[in-house]
Structure formats: C-alpha cells, structure tokens
Amino acid sequence: MIIITLSRIFHRCMDYFRFRSSSSGGRSTASETDHHHHQLIPRISRKYRSLSFDSGLRLIASLSNNHQRIESPTRLVMSSSVSNSDRKIVTGSAGYILEDVPHFTDDFPDCPTYPNPLQDNAAYSVVKQYFVDDDDTVPQKIVVHPDSPRGTHFRRAGPRQRVYFESDDVLACIVTCGGLCPGLNTVIREIVCGLSYMYGVKRILGIDGGYRGFYARNTIHLDTNTVNDIHRSGGTILGTSRGGHDTTKIVDSIQDRGINQVYIIGGDGSQKGAAAIFEEIRRRKLKVAVAGIPKTIDNDIPIIDRSFGFDTAVEEAQRAINAAHVEATSFENGIGLVKLMGRYSGFIAMYATLASRDVDCCLIPESPFFLEGPGGLFEFISKRLKESGHMVIVIAEGAGQDLLAESIEESKTLKDASGNKLLQDVGLWISQRIKDHFAKKMTLNLKYIDPTYMIRAVPSNASDNVCCTLLAQSAVHGVMAGYNGFTVGLVNGRHTYIPFYRITEKQNKVVTTDRMWARLLSSTNQPSFMKHDDIDSNQLVGEPGTMKW
Ligand SMILES: Nc1ncnc2c1ncn2[C@@H]1O[C@H](COP(=O)(O)OP(=O)(O)O)[C@@H](O)[C@H]1O
Ligand SMILES: O=P(O)(O)OC[C@H]1O[C@](O)(COP(=O)(O)O)[C@@H](O)[C@@H]1O
Ligand SMILES: [Mg+2]
C-alpha cells in the first residue's frame, strides 16, 4: 500500500511540473528536437529537473525509510545485445522478476499526462476496475513448485488512468510486413476503431506495402469508414513485402511526416525491424511510440501463447487433410500426403494432426526422421498399409530439409529478401521417394495435396477475430499510456507488453521432448523416428509449455 500511495504522490508531483512537449511533431530534425526539449526544461523545478522514473523510484524508496516492499523492488539496468537499449528489470521478493518495457518517462521524465478519455465514456465508466493497476504483472510460468522462485513477469496490458498523448496531437501509422496471415485486416480495422472510438484519434495513416512503403510509397488515409468491412477479406488492404528494411530511411519518413505512433503488424522478422526502428527513434530523442503486434501462422514467436491467424490456418488445413483421407480410403494402398506451412516450426502440422484424427504420421522440422532401414519412414508406411490399407501423412514444409539438401547442394544457401531460408518442396520430393521405394514391392496410390497458401490467404475465423481485436485494443491502450518498444502478446491467457529483445532473441519451436509432442505421437501411434543421439542433442529452443490452451 505504502509504495502504491508514494508512487501516486510521486506521479502527482511530477504532473504538477509537467510541460507540453511537441518534440516529435512537424518536421523537426533530431537536433532541433533536442534544443526544443532543453528549452522547456528550465520550467521545471530544479529539484526534479533530471528526475527519471528510476530516480523517482529511488526517491520514493528513500522517503519510505526501509519499508519492506520498497526495499525489494530494484530496477537493474543491464546492457542489451541491441545498442542503446536498456533492459528494465525490476526484481522483488521470492525471486520475482519483472521484465518491463520502456516508457516515455524513461527518456522524457517530464512529459505531460492527461486523464484517459475512457473515464468519461459511459460505456467504460460503469465497468468495475476497467483501468489496469500499474502494479499488475503476468507470470511467464504458471506451473510452479512450493519452493521455486516466482520468476519472470511481464507488464499487464490494458488502459491506464492517465495517457501521454492528447487525441488531437496523435498521428498514427499502421504497417503490415512479411508473409500473409489470416486476420491482418481485422487487426488493422481494430487499431483504427480502437484509436478512433476509444481515444478520439482522427489522423491515422496506412503504410503501403510493408517497410519499404515508409520511404518508397504514398501513405493511405484510414478511418472507421474505410476499414469498416475489411475484416471479411483475407490478405492485407495495406499490402506487405519482404526485405526493404532501411532503418534510417524509415525513421526519416516517420520524423518528416510527424508520425508519433507506429503500429507494426508482423512476424519475427518484422519485430526485429520494429526493434531497430525503436532504437533509432530513441537515439534521435523523438517522442514516438513503436508497438508490435505479432503475426505468425507458424507460431514461431517465443513467449506468447499464440497469435492471431494460427487457429484459422489449422482449421483451413483440415480441409486438405479431409480430402487426403477421402482419396486415401478410396484406393488400394492409398496414401494422402499433405504439405503444410511451417518453415522452422511445425506447430501448424502438429495441431492440424491433433485436430483431424485421420493422420497416421506427422513430420515436422524439429523432429528428424529417416527413410530407409529399421525404424525408418518406409518401414512404418509398409506396416500401416498392411494394418489398415490406407494412410494420411502430414509434412511441414521445413521438415526433412537436411535430407533434401543431401541431393540438392545449392538449396542450403538460398534465401528470400528478408534473409529467411528458401525451402525446397519437401512434399514433391518425399512423394517421389515413397513411390520409387514401393514401385517394385506393391501397388501404391499416392495423392499429394499442397494447400500451402490457401491456409493463410483466407479471412480469420471467429476465434481469431476475437484474438485480433483484443491484441489491437491492447496495443492502442499501451501506446496511449506511454509504453514503448513493446510487442503485445498473450501470456498464459492474459494480454501483456513484452520488450522487443525477448521476442526477437530466439524462435519458438515444437519441443519434441515436451508433453505435447508425446500426445501427438500417442494420437497417431507413429514412431518418433528419433535415434538416441537425436534425443540428447534435441534443441530445447522452444518455450516448454507454450500453446497451452
Ligand atoms: N534482423 C532484422 N532487422 C531489421 N529488419 C528485419 C530483420 N529481419 C527481417 N526484417 C524485416 O522485416 C520484414 C518482415 O520480415 P520477414 O522475415 O519477411 O517476415 P516476418 O516478419 O513475417 O517474419 C521485412 O521487411 C524484413 O526486411
Ligand atoms: O512464399 P512466401 O510468401 O515468401 O512465404 C512462405 C513462408 O511464409 C510463412 O507462411 C510465414 O512466414 P513469415 O512469418 O516469415 O511471414 C511460412 O510458413 C512460409 O515458409
Ligand atoms: Mg518469420
């Protein structure tokens, strides 16, 4: 209680000395902005002139005179792998760690705040506890032991009592980057509607065609009318692209246009791009917020439970698997083979298999397999055909690439414009290998179905539409509340703000020693195709226990 009260007193004191900053508006250069900022500082009491949020916390701590709750929370600033990026880590008792996100007050300790317009909105003011308490955090791990530390937490998303933008001053922009994903249009729609209806923001721009659109294309005007029906269509009305991330040109464009809120909808690559933009914005001391909304049908983004589009992609994949099953059961020794997306992570294949119940074998990038000999794929196919006369195989596009690379040497080095590995068609390759192997042994009817782009080009389903809406609203609330340099994401079913470095430091993968993969193996009754050595060296790179729903 004491720290909360002191913290509020501190913020009240700070509010008293607030000034109106316009550092990001207009066409000011970085040096002009600096100058403008420093011109305004003398208006603040000397005592609080250089008081950052951190030093504010320390001030409260010293005032509190050794109170237990104040003794423990300490903010440690650690060096980051990304230049100029300070990691905000708050530690507390019982091994509590908050991996916090940057806030405007870190760089602009005296920037003004305003009452949240939602508090005058009849629809929200009746909602009990609509505003999120500043102390609310969400644990990354929810399975704990009596004596285990409380571990890493992330800041809970949602609206705050005070905001750091006046509605009329906001110039927001939205960009979609990377591959398509069901729900992109819904997220665009809900950012526009959230900004407009909740916060009265009128100036919102769409960036045309991904990152390069910042500097190579005109912007697109967005309002609640223009986005009204877009959620019914797949794709993105803004267009998207790979490559073209030129940080300097992008931030020049943000600065020149006077944009002060940047919403970036994209996958792991896009979030790395967002982090680079945020770093440059900070370096230039611009009062511009950058927020990421994770887009990934592959579910290759760590920390989060899942993001929008995945559910729809898995549902759409069922149509291909059903067709494969019908074909396989209609012919002697029928094999239906379906290739699904998943460059480095096999979540779509794994969940489509678990959902379908018709799949006999699921092959993913994380689980090595081999074709010939005892325990190999050919032996299993032979066994399953003898038992039931047909089978369905689901293969993720990134599976077995090492086997393909043995035959196609140059395939190891090919990359797309964003630097992602370009894959060979494992579906075609494995179909041919199976046909060749059984050619002289038995009649085989193999039908290869490749629904690749169909599962991501569709509009999002009902559950993903809800997911898109909540993510978009959470991003808008976070930005308006002054948080910065974050990706919004579901952690254990709660929306959180996650620092970019945690999102970009590794990829999420299926952990084949985790219980979910074991559940799949028991559902299909397929062998693991793993040799003992593979188990030992199995990359434990995923977040064990992700996809918990
Ligand atoms: N390490 C990086 N730094 C800066 N920008 C990046 C980085 N990786 C990817 N990007 C940019 O992010 C955008 C999307 O990346 P991509 O890998 O194609 O898709 P996704 O975001 O869906 O993973 C591209 O414009 C790409 O240039
Ligand atoms: O052919 P494209 O459009 O470059 O994309 C193919 C890749 O896009 C994805 O659908 C999604 O990847 P991103 O998240 O990097 O956009 C992958 O599953 C697939 O390998
Ligand atoms: Mg990606």
Side-chain angles (χ1 to χ4, degrees), residues 254-444:
I254 290 169
Q255 198 171 356
D256 288 349
R257 294 178 201 276
I259 291 167
N260 51 17
Q261 295 189 359
V262 183
Y263 295 91
I264 295 168
I265 313 170
D268 57 336
S270 308
Q271 303 302 314
K272 286 179 192 149
I277 292 170
F278 173 63
E279 287 301 319
E280 179 59 15
I281 279 173
R282 254 190 146 172
R283 197 187 63 75
R284 297 189 193 184
K285 297 186 169 58
L286 304 177
K287 196 174 156 237
V288 177
V290 182
I293 294 100
K295 167 233 66 151
T296 167
I297 55 164
D298 289 358
N299 192 43
D300 53 7
I301 296 186
I303 312 288
I304 59 175
D305 299 349
R306 62 160 172 156
S307 197
F308 69 90
F310 179 79
D311 201 46
T312 307
V314 168
E315 198 170 292
E316 195 61 21
Q318 300 303 299
R319 287 151 52 88
I321 295 173
N322 284 342
H325 184 243
V326 169
E327 289 286 339
T329 50
S330 304
F331 294 89
E332 184 188 359
N333 287 331
I335 298 180
L337 191 125
V338 179
K339 184 184 76 172
L340 294 175
M341 279 196 167
R343 198 191 278 119
Y344 306 108
S345 309
F347 287 103
I348 298 177
M350 178 164 88
Y351 276 79
T353 297
L354 279 164
S356 149
R357 318 293 308 155
D358 287 331
V359 179
D360 296 272
C361 183
C362 174
L363 302 168
I364 60 169
E366 297 89 336
S367 183
F369 65 94
F370 55 98
L371 302 177
E372 322 250 3
L377 181 65
F378 293 154
E379 186 189 75
F380 176 59
I381 293 174
S382 194
K383 181 171 165 279
R384 192 51 62 94
L385 288 179
K386 273 190 198 119
E387 283 164 5
S388 50
H390 67 272
M391 77 181 291
V392 174
I393 301 172
V394 165
I395 186 161
E397 61 178 339
Q401 290 291 319
D402 51 332
L403 301 176
L404 266 110
E406 283 167 14
S407 46
I408 315 166
E409 186 53 35
E410 72 273 17
S411 69
K412 284 179 188 166
T413 50
L414 295 177
K415 298 212 161 139
D416 71 12
S418 294
N420 301 301
K421 192 165 71 179
L422 267 182
L423 304 175
Q424 298 298 316
D425 190 334
V426 71
L428 273 181
W429 173 81
I430 206 165
S431 299
Q432 198 54 51
R433 290 299 307 268
I434 295 170
K435 283 180 188 166
D436 291 348
H437 179 83
F438 288 98
K440 292 193 182 130
K441 296 186 176 69
M442 61 163 91
T443 311
L444 200 86

Side-chain angles (χ1 to χ4, degrees), residues 118-353:
L118 287 171
Q119 74 188 37
D120 303 320
N121 184 323
Y124 300 99
S125 53
V126 293
V127 182
K128 207 174 152 214
Q129 292 187 329
Y130 186 72
F131 293 108
V132 170
D133 192 299
D134 275 345
D135 287 343
D136 282 0
T137 58
V138 178
Q140 186 180 1
K141 290 211 164 66
I142 47 168
V143 179
V144 289
H145 296 176
D147 51 358
S148 63
R150 291 173 64 203
T152 300
H153 293 61
F154 298 106
R155 192 166 278 283
R156 185 180 179 189
R160 291 344 200 231
Q161 295 274 2
R162 298 195 70 82
V163 296
Y164 285 75
F165 288 95
E166 256 189 324
S167 307
D168 289 345
D169 290 345
V170 174
L171 177 54
C173 75
I174 307 173
V175 62
T176 49
C177 313
L180 291 184
C181 179
L184 282 166
N185 281 333
T186 313
V187 178
I188 298 168
R189 184 189 193 279
E190 295 309 315
I191 293 173
V192 173
C193 292
L195 280 168
S196 308
Y197 296 145
M198 295 191 296
Y199 290 102
V201 171
K202 294 189 187 69
R203 298 185 303 151
I204 308 168
L205 303 174
I207 303 298
D208 188 353
Y211 278 131
R212 61 167 58 87
F214 272 104
Y215 54 86
R217 301 267 180 87
N218 290 328
T219 54
I220 300 161
H221 168 78
L222 296 174
D223 62 33
T224 51
N225 288 328
T226 54
V227 300
N228 192 45
D229 288 326
I230 64 173
H231 60 295
R232 298 181 212 288
S233 315
T236 157
I237 57 151
L238 300 179
T240 184
S241 62
R242 298 198 187 274
H245 187 284
D246 184 322
T247 312
T248 306
K249 284 188 186 171
I250 291 169
V251 179
D252 284 350
S253 160
I254 290 169
Q255 198 171 356
D256 288 349
R257 294 178 201 276
I259 291 167
N260 51 17
Q261 295 189 359
V262 183
Y263 295 91
I264 295 168
I265 313 170
D268 57 336
S270 308
Q271 303 302 314
K272 286 179 192 149
I277 292 170
F278 173 63
E279 287 301 319
E280 179 59 15
I281 279 173
R282 254 190 146 172
R283 197 187 63 75
R284 297 189 193 184
K285 297 186 169 58
L286 304 177
K287 196 174 156 237
V288 177
V290 182
I293 294 100
K295 167 233 66 151
T296 167
I297 55 164
D298 289 358
N299 192 43
D300 53 7
I301 296 186
I303 312 288
I304 59 175
D305 299 349
R306 62 160 172 156
S307 197
F308 69 90
F310 179 79
D311 201 46
T312 307
V314 168
E315 198 170 292
E316 195 61 21
Q318 300 303 299
R319 287 151 52 88
I321 295 173
N322 284 342
H325 184 243
V326 169
E327 289 286 339
T329 50
S330 304
F331 294 89
E332 184 188 359
N333 287 331
I335 298 180
L337 191 125
V338 179
K339 184 184 76 172
L340 294 175
M341 279 196 167
R343 198 191 278 119
Y344 306 108
S345 309
F347 287 103
I348 298 177
M350 178 164 88
Y351 276 79
T353 297

Side-chain angles (χ1 to χ4, degrees), residues 484-533:
N484 205 350
F486 68 84
T487 301
V488 61
L490 263 187
V491 174
N492 296 316
R494 297 291 179 143
H495 288 86
T496 63
Y497 302 133
I498 306 164
F500 282 143
Y501 68 86
R502 286 303 309 272
I503 291 291
T504 56
E505 67 191 356
K506 64 181 175 187
Q507 276 180 324
N508 190 37
K509 301 203 178 190
V510 173
V511 179
T512 51
T513 49
D514 205 355
R515 291 151 62 99
M516 208 57 185
W517 184 242
R519 289 177 185 131
L520 179 134
L521 296 180
S522 41
S523 142
T524 58
N525 202 18
Q526 70 188 68
S528 77
F529 302 114
M530 284 179 108
K531 299 175 194 142
H532 200 261
D533 288 357

Side-chain angles (χ1 to χ4, degrees), residues 433-472:
R433 290 299 307 268
I434 295 170
K435 283 180 188 166
D436 291 348
H437 179 83
F438 288 98
K440 292 193 182 130
K441 296 186 176 69
M442 61 163 91
T443 311
L444 200 86
N445 280 292
L446 189 147
K447 308 290 162 63
Y448 171 41
I449 299 178
D450 179 1
T452 306
Y453 293 103
M454 291 176 66
I455 68 168
R456 70 176 204 187
V458 288
S460 45
N461 66 13
S463 124
D464 273 333
N465 268 336
V466 174
C467 182
C468 293
T469 304
L470 300 187
L471 284 171

